[in-house]
Amino acid sequence: MSKYQTIDGMSYALEQEKGRKKRSKWIIIGCVVGLLVLAAIGTAVGVVVSKNNSKSSSSSSSSSNSGKGSNSGNSTTGGKPGDPSNFTKDPALHQAFYGMAYTPEGALIEFGCTNTLENTIRDIQLISQLTKRIRLYGADCNQTAQVLEAIVQTDVDMEVFVGIYVVADDHDAYLRQRDLITGAIETYGTKHIAGVTVGNEFMLNVTDVNSGVGLEGAAILLADIEDTKQMLAGMNLDKHIPVGNSDAGSFFATSVLEAVEYGLSNVHAWFANTTAAGAAPWVFDFFQESNLTPAAALPNKPAMYIAETGWPTKSSDAANANNGGSDASEANLQVFLDTFVCQANDQGVHYFFFEMFDEEWKDIKFGGVEGWWGLFNKDRTLKNVKIPDCISP
Ligand SMILES: *[C@@H]1O[C@H](CO)[C@@H](O)[C@H](O)[C@H]1NC(C)=O
Ligand SMILES: *[C@@H]1O[C@H](CO)[C@@H](O)[C@H](O)[C@H]1NC(C)=O
Ligand SMILES: *[C@@H]1O[C@H](CO)[C@@H](O)[C@H](O)[C@H]1NC(C)=O
Ligand SMILES: *[C@@H]1O[C@H](CO)[C@@H](O)[C@H](O)[C@H]1NC(C)=O
Ligand SMILES: *[C@@H]1O[C@H](CO)[C@@H](O)[C@H](O)[C@H]1NC(C)=O
């Protein structure tokens, strides 16, 4: 949900400019409050609008009813066109990435849960050629089970940081997703589960995560984190599954980090208005200063990962086509790929590249660059970029 990272960049800039431009603080606060609404809607997600058949987004509304007939004639559960583990590898792809941010297409309650196992299998076949790790944002629409089933059917080496998004005034959303994850672990075991992330960008509506409403928000997160830990402990699993939290880079409450084993931090140079060439150095510096160093100083020393970092390839409006430093473009995504990926691998920085596919629902809802962060287009073709020439550990 890159939109919310706007805050990230803004607050970073704010820190830099502190005292110089007090007025900008109020702009930022205004944005934070405004984005609360988006956070409630968008975060509530984990996901995407459907879109299956439509290459042209033309024929507006009425369903292309994606469940059926997209890839193979055999849709929905059960249909197994051939052996999903026998798929053609693309020579342009190799496992350069530590991890990848992934949202199954259509796994959004608001849009009717149009995600299908077939499409998820197709995606896992592609993603597995780039990385051994993915992170999900939520658990609705049975996406956790579908991803795990797809990993089993494709027989790929892949671990998943599954996710539960937390919404302040909707505890049922937490419970529903927790139970879906419980069910998925009961069915598929722990083999492919790397962690359970509770909360995504939950604290983005607060200006100081360690006081006032920040503490109220942290209390909600802490209760859900504790509940997830108890759920896992109660399952008597054969391996320990860590529980973590995800937020924009400047929005981790200390009490939350002290309660988790890992933090997933969004670090977006685009929203900090860097140039494309300056993006990777900015990301490394920001992550070190704002996340790695503070986390290492805590008694529990939570592992920190970059949850999202990337570069958009276009904007749906002219106003957002340039961030003040560089354009949103495939050429600049290539610059970021070439200066971040292998360097992060070498430095032992753990990251989830943002993101695998363009997400049409974000473009529809938010416009600007929101829908255009994919390495792949929404039709699952690789953009005009070259995957960096290294293999991630
Ligand atoms: C980046 O540029 C945009 C557009 O000029 C501006 O609104 C925003 O405050 C800037 N952000 C930062 C972090 O400088
Ligand atoms: C769908 O599955 C059925 C039974 O598994 C098979 O007979 C049929 O050929 C499949 N259709 C397509 C289009 O793959
Ligand atoms: C894999 O698929 C190809 C093409 O569909 C087929 O020729 C080949 O026999 C399959 N291999 C196995 C082991 O099933
Ligand atoms: C969830 O997905 C799994 C894997 O595809 C499937 O076996 C199961 O029936 C699905 N559950 C529901 C309620 O759709
Ligand atoms: C921010 O969210 C927290 C919990 O998510 C909530 O308690 C608080 O009222 C929100 N603050 C504002 C200013 O909306």
Side-chain angles (χ1 to χ4, degrees):
M1 305 278 163
S2 48
K3 182 138 220 150
Y4 317 131
Q5 275 73 61
T6 303
I7 299 301
D8 214 3
M10 284 180 173
S11 95
Y12 179 80
L14 177 61
E15 283 159 26
Q16 306 301 91
E17 289 190 313
K18 199 174 291 175
R20 199 153 65 87
K21 282 195 169 186
K22 209 162 184 181
R23 193 179 40 185
S24 67
K25 176 167 186 179
W26 293 103
I27 293 170
I28 287 158
I29 290 169
C31 291
V32 170
V33 172
L35 284 177
L36 171 56
V37 176
L38 298 179
I41 299 167
T43 303
V45 185
V47 217
V48 201
V49 134
S50 86
K51 106 311 166 91
N52 279 333
N53 301 327
S54 57
K55 178 131 189 187
S56 66
S57 52
S58 57
S59 85
S60 57
S61 55
S62 75
S63 62
S64 50
N65 200 356
S66 48
K68 301 181 187 247
S70 44
N71 294 353
S72 63
N74 278 318
S75 62
T76 59
T77 52
K80 257 214 233 173
D83 175 0
S85 71
N86 179 17
F87 57 95
T88 308
K89 310 290 192 298
D90 181 342
L93 308 182
H94 53 268
Q95 292 181 332
F97 297 88
Y98 179 84
M100 193 64 69
Y102 171 56
T103 297
E105 189 170 36
L108 183 65
I109 287 180
E110 188 185 350
F111 288 91
C113 292
T114 56
N115 50 310
T116 64
L117 176 61
E118 285 69 24
N119 287 348
T120 305
I121 286 172
R122 169 201 61 188
D123 289 349
I124 294 295
Q125 288 173 338
L126 268 181
I127 299 169
S128 66
Q129 298 175 62
L130 290 174
T131 186
K132 293 175 160 58
R133 294 173 198 88
I134 56 174
R135 64 164 299 214
L136 299 173
Y137 288 81
D140 276 330
C141 305
N142 200 27
Q143 64 179 285
T144 316
Q146 285 185 351
V147 165
L148 293 170
E149 176 68 25
I151 291 170
V152 169
Q153 289 199 25
T154 54
D155 196 25
V156 297
D157 178 9
M158 175 87 70
E159 60 179 15
V160 189
F161 288 77
V162 301
I164 300 175
Y165 68 80
V166 173
V167 187
D169 55 1
D170 185 2
H171 191 56
D172 286 348
Y174 165 77
L175 295 172
R176 178 179 71 231
Q177 294 172 88
R178 179 202 62 189
D179 292 347
L180 281 162
I181 285 178
T182 306
I185 295 174
E186 280 168 352
T187 304
Y188 297 98
T190 58
K191 184 176 175 193
H192 298 289
I193 310 275
V196 181
T197 312
V198 179
N200 182 51
E201 296 177 345
F202 184 77
M203 300 294 273
L204 263 184
N205 70 329
V206 303
T207 46
D208 181 351
V209 292
N210 290 313
S211 69
V213 292
L215 292 178
E216 291 170 28
I220 294 171
L221 279 179
L222 288 169
D224 291 346
I225 287 165
E226 184 56 33
D227 182 76
T228 296
K229 286 180 181 173
Q230 283 175 17
M231 175 274 279
L232 292 169
M235 294 181 80
N236 294 312
L237 300 171
D238 55 0
K239 94 174 183 202
H240 174 71
I241 307 268
V243 173
N245 171 248
S246 179
D247 220 308
S250 306
F251 288 80
F252 287 97
T254 304
S255 58
V256 171
L257 275 186
E258 284 174 345
V260 293
E261 285 169 84
Y262 68 92
L264 295 179
S265 168
N266 296 347
V267 185
H268 280 297
W270 169 267
F271 292 114
N273 299 356
T274 72
T275 60
W282 183 88
V283 169
F284 289 127
D285 285 351
F286 181 95
F287 185 53
Q288 182 67 50
E289 288 168 22
S290 301
N291 300 130
L292 291 175
T293 300
L298 297 177
N300 59 319
K301 300 192 186 340
M304 298 302 292
Y305 301 78
I306 295 177
E308 294 185 352
T309 195
W311 193 268
T313 58
K314 74 175 238 186
S315 171
S316 291
D317 59 33
N320 289 294
N322 184 295
N323 70 349
S326 294
D327 288 340
S329 69
E330 290 181 341
N332 283 333
L333 171 57
Q334 186 70 62
V335 169
F336 186 64
L337 285 167
D338 289 345
T339 48
F340 177 78
V341 173
C342 301
Q343 292 77 354
N345 294 344
D346 285 347
Q347 294 176 32
V349 170
H350 295 167
Y351 60 91
F352 294 85
F353 201 82
F354 186 79
E355 61 184 324
M356 188 65 188
F357 303 108
D358 280 349
E359 301 205 53
E360 186 180 46
W361 74 275
K362 290 186 181 176
D363 184 45
I364 291 168
K365 275 190 116 145
F366 307 121
V369 297
E370 288 302 308
W372 309 108
W373 290 75
L375 288 171
F376 287 70
N377 299 293
K378 80 184 183 85
D379 67 0
R380 274 51 189 165
T381 55
L382 184 63
K383 289 180 181 173
N384 186 26
V385 293
K386 183 176 177 300
I387 303 303
D389 193 15
C390 56
I391 300 293
S392 169

